[in-house]
Amino acid sequence: MNEAEVLHVSRAEYLSTVSDLKSRGFAMCVDVTAVDYLTHPGRKLPEGITAERYEVVVGLLSLEERRRVRIRVQVPDEDPTIDTLFYLYPTSEALEREVYDLFGITFNNHPDMTRIVLPQEWEGHPLRKDYQVGAVPVQFKAVNGAE
Amino acid sequence: MNDSMDPKQSVLGGKSKDLSFETSEGDQEMGMFESTSTDELGLEYGSTLRLSEGIELDPNDMNFEISPDEKMIINMGPQHPSTHGVLRLMIELDGEIILRTKPVVGYLHTGMEKTAEGLTYLQGSTNVTRMDYLSPLHNELVFSLAAEQLIGIEVPDRASWIRMLMCELNRCSSHLMWMATNGMDLGSTSMMLYGFREREMILAFFEKVTGLRMNHNYIRPGGVSADLPDGWQDDVIAILETIPGRLDEYDELLTGQPIFRERVNGVGIITDSQAIALGATGPILRSTGVPWDLRRDMPYLHYEQVEFDVIVGSIGDVFDRYSVRFNEIRESLRIIAQVVEKMPEGDYRVQDKKVTPPPRMRIDESMEALIHHFKIFTEGYKVPEGEVYVAVESPRGELGCYMVSDGSAKPYRMHIRGPSFVNLQTLPVMLRGGAIADAIASISSVDPVMGEVDR
C-alpha cells in the first residue's frame, strides 16, 4: 500500500501550496477533514511548526503518478478560519461544510458556508473535544400546541 | 445561532410561519434565484468551475433568461421511493426541465465519528460496519487496515485472502442490489426480484461464515473473527456457477431491451474532467473513461496477485454506469474463482498476543489466559501514537479511513471518507438540463447509500 507523503504548511501558504500541487498533477482532492487536538497528550510535529488546537487535513491524489499527498494545517482556537479550496477543487464544497458543521472551522470565501448534516439551529460543534457526549439534550423541534 | 430562529418563540407566537419552521432546514435549503450568490448558483447549476477546455468559468457570464414566475422549486424526498433512503433533493424546474439541484442531507446523521471516539479498536468495527450498509465488509476492512497500520502488525496470508474473498462477494451483492433497485426505479420490476434473489445466495453464504447477513463485524484488526467453515468451497463454487448464467439473463432482460435503453442512453452525462474535479470515484469515474481502480492502481491485500480487468465506460451516461457495475460483477466473480484456487492454509488471525485473545481451550485451564481475554475485551489494547490514511475500493468508490491515535485504547479521531457523500455532488451536473423523469435514472446511477453520506 502506498504511504502518503505528509506536508505541514502554515495557513498563509496553504492555498498557494495546494494550487502548486494541483499544477504538478494532483488532480483530485480526496478528503478534507479536521482533528481537534485539545486533549491529545502531544504529537510529533516537524521543527518550526507550532501546534495549535485544530488541524485541517487535506488529502490529494495524483492519478498519473499514483501518489497521495496529505497536507496538515494548524488552525488556532482563537481564530478558527482557513481559506477554502472550492475554487481549486469543487469537490471540497461538501467536505468543508462538514468540517464547519462538526468542528466550527470557517472556510473563507466558501460559497455556501452552512451546516450540512446537523439542523440549522443546532448549538455547538459535536466533534470538538469539549463537546460532551450526552451532556446536551437532543434538540427535537417543538410540535404545534405542545407545552 | 440566530435569535429569531428560537423554536419556542416561533411556536408560542403561533404565526403562520410555524409549519415552514418545523420542516425547514434554513440556509441549507435551496434559496430563491434572486437571493443566491453567483458562486452558489454556479454550484447548483453544476458548473464545476473547470471546463474541459481549461477555461475558468465566470458565473457572471452565465445566461439566465427564464423569468422568475416560470420557475418552480420542488422537493424530491426525503421520502420519495426512488431516492434510495432519505436523500432530499431540492430542484428548480422550468416546466419539465431541471435548472438547479441541491442535495440536502443529514437526515440519517447519528454522529458515528463521535461514537467511534468512545469505542475501543475491537469495538470500532461494529460501529463502522453500519455506515455503508450495502458493503459492510469494506467498511470493516478499511477500519482494520488503518488500525493495523498504526499498530504495525502484518496479518497472516490466509486472513488477507479470506478478506479478499469476502470483499469481492460483497461487491457482487452490492452491485446486484444496485441492479435490483435500479431496475425498480426504471420500471423493470422483474429485475428487482431477480436482483434480490441472487443477492440472497451471497448473503446466505455470509450468514454461514460470519453469523449475520449484514453488519458482520467479521473483519477485525488482526485478521478475521473466524475461519471459513468446512465446505466453504462448495458454497462459493455454487455461487460462481449460478450467477454468470443469471447475468446473461439480465443482459437479455435489460441491456438489449429498447425501453430500458431509451431511459438510460445519453441521460445524466458527466465528463471525465468534471468527475475528477468533483472528486467522483468508483463506477462514476470509470464510466467517463478514466481507468482508476484502487485495487489495481494502489493495491492492498493481495490484489496484485490476481488477474482482473478494470471496466471503463466511454461517455459517462447512465448506461455507462450501468454497464460498468454490471461487468464489475463478472470481474469480481473472476477474482473469487482465483481466490478459491489460491487460498493458502494457515492462521486466520495474527498470533500477536497484544491484539488476539487466547483460544477458548486455554481459558479453561489457565488463569492468565482468562485475565488476558478479559482485559482485551474490556480495556482493549493500546495503539501507538500516530495518524494514518488508508483507502480501499468499495463498490461505490474510494472508501478512506483517517485515523489518529493518542496512544490509548480508543481512536483519538476516526474519520471515514465516504464515497457516496462525495459522489452525491455530481448530481447537479448530471441533472442540469435534463427532464425531471430522467432525474430518477441519474440518482439511481449514482448509487448513494445514505447511511454512509450522513454517518
Side-chain angles (χ1 to χ4, degrees), chain B residues 11-155:
Chain B
V11 169
L12 294 177
K15 298 274 159 26
S16 57
K17 65 176 192 182
D18 284 356
L19 186 69
S20 75
F21 173 74
E22 274 175 32
T23 55
S24 170
E25 291 295 330
D27 290 345
Q28 291 179 35
E29 295 190 350
M30 176 186 269
M32 295 305 289
F33 175 80
E34 293 72 25
S35 55
T36 311
S37 72
T38 42
D39 282 348
E40 197 177 339
L41 276 180
L43 187 72
E44 290 165 3
Y45 271 110
S47 70
T48 52
L49 305 159
R50 210 178 70 159
L51 301 181
S52 43
E53 307 88 62
I55 310 161
E56 286 235 336
L57 179 76
D58 180 3
N60 294 310
D61 288 348
M62 277 187 284
N63 196 9
F64 310 117
E65 274 174 359
I66 305 131
S67 76
D69 47 325
E70 285 169 30
K71 290 183 296 188
M72 178 172 66
I73 294 180
I74 64 156
N75 249 322
M76 187 183 255
Q79 286 103 343
H80 193 278
S82 289
T83 53
H84 292 244
V86 281
L87 171 65
R88 176 183 179 194
L89 291 177
M90 296 191 78
I91 301 177
E92 190 181 58
L93 292 171
D94 168 32
E96 286 272 299
I97 304 299
I98 296 171
L99 299 174
R100 293 192 282 153
T101 311
K102 186 173 185 185
V104 180
V105 300
Y107 295 94
L108 269 184
H109 180 67
T110 49
M112 291 169 109
E113 289 182 6
K114 185 78 173 173
T115 309
E117 291 171 9
L119 299 173
T120 64
Y121 288 90
L122 194 65
Q123 297 165 328
S125 52
T126 334
N127 180 40
V128 292
T129 188
R130 279 155 176 79
M131 288 180 177
D132 181 350
Y133 42 76
L134 292 183
S135 64
L137 288 161
H138 287 91
N139 289 290
E140 295 167 19
L141 175 69
V142 75
F143 178 87
S144 305
L145 287 177
E148 281 156 12
Q149 203 164 320
L150 279 174
I151 307 169
I153 47 173
E154 202 142 300
V155 300

Side-chain angles (χ1 to χ4, degrees), chain B residues 194-446:
Chain B
Y194 297 150
F196 268 96
R197 182 185 64 188
E198 267 62 278
R199 177 173 176 257
E200 202 54 42
M201 268 189 92
I202 298 176
L203 291 196
F205 178 70
F206 283 167
E207 191 177 4
K208 205 169 181 181
V209 177
T210 72
L212 291 164
R213 286 158 42 89
M214 291 169 87
N215 305 334
H216 314 279
N217 192 16
Y218 179 66
I219 299 175
R220 299 175 186 181
V224 294
S225 69
D227 206 349
L228 293 169
D230 291 340
W232 63 273
Q233 288 100 333
D234 301 339
D235 293 307
V236 176
I237 287 165
I239 292 171
L240 290 176
E241 279 170 357
T242 316
I243 292 185
R246 303 269 169 87
L247 290 179
D248 294 341
E249 284 174 24
Y250 306 159
D251 241 345
E252 254 167 66
L253 184 69
L254 293 178
T255 318
Q257 200 223 36
I259 304 172
F260 176 77
R261 291 296 289 267
E262 274 304 290
R263 292 282 322 257
V264 294
N265 272 7
V267 169
I269 293 180
I270 184 166
T271 65
D272 52 351
S273 58
Q274 282 172 329
I276 290 174
L278 286 166
T281 43
I284 298 180
L285 182 61
R286 288 194 285 275
S287 77
T288 65
V290 181
W292 180 259
D293 189 323
L294 290 178
R295 289 177 293 170
R296 186 201 65 178
D297 293 307
M298 292 182 168
Y300 51 96
L301 300 180
H302 294 304
Y303 277 110
E304 69 280 356
Q305 294 179 37
V306 291
E307 254 178 55
F308 64 100
D309 292 328
V310 175
I311 311 288
V312 291
S314 49
I315 60 168
D317 62 353
V318 174
F319 179 70
D320 275 354
R321 293 192 277 279
Y322 160 83
S323 340
V324 167
R325 291 206 177 89
F326 190 74
N327 289 301
E328 273 183 12
I329 303 179
R330 294 200 169 108
E331 291 305 316
S332 285
L333 293 174
R334 227 176 112 191
I335 297 176
I336 293 164
Q338 297 173 55
V339 174
V340 173
E341 254 173 50
K342 294 189 177 179
M343 181 67 75
E345 290 299 316
D347 219 338
Y348 62 93
R349 57 182 183 185
V350 67
Q351 280 313 324
D352 182 338
K353 293 285 170 286
K354 197 177 149 193
V355 296
T356 309
R360 185 71 189 76
M361 290 278 288
R362 294 264 303 132
I363 296 174
D364 292 339
E365 55 200 34
S366 151
M367 187 63 183
E368 285 71 29
L370 182 64
I371 295 171
H372 185 201
H373 174 93
F374 189 69
K375 281 192 85 128
I376 279 190
F377 283 98
T378 51
E379 279 176 12
Y381 40 84
K382 290 193 167 52
V383 168
E385 197 233 303
E387 49 115 41
V388 70
Y389 178 85
V390 173
V392 301
E393 185 78 24
S394 98
R396 268 152 284 280
E398 172 168 335
L399 176 69
C401 179
Y402 180 68
M403 198 183 267
V404 181
S405 169
D406 59 351
S408 72
K410 293 168 182 172
Y412 186 76
R413 167 104 171 95
M414 201 279 301
H415 168 74
I416 292 282
R417 186 262 188 208
S420 303
F421 182 65
V422 182
N423 289 351
L424 210 54
Q425 297 187 83
T426 57
L427 270 178
V429 181
M430 289 178 189
L431 302 188
R432 160 109 172 120
I436 183 84
D438 290 338
I440 305 296
S442 296
I443 296 167
S444 173
S445 74
V446 171

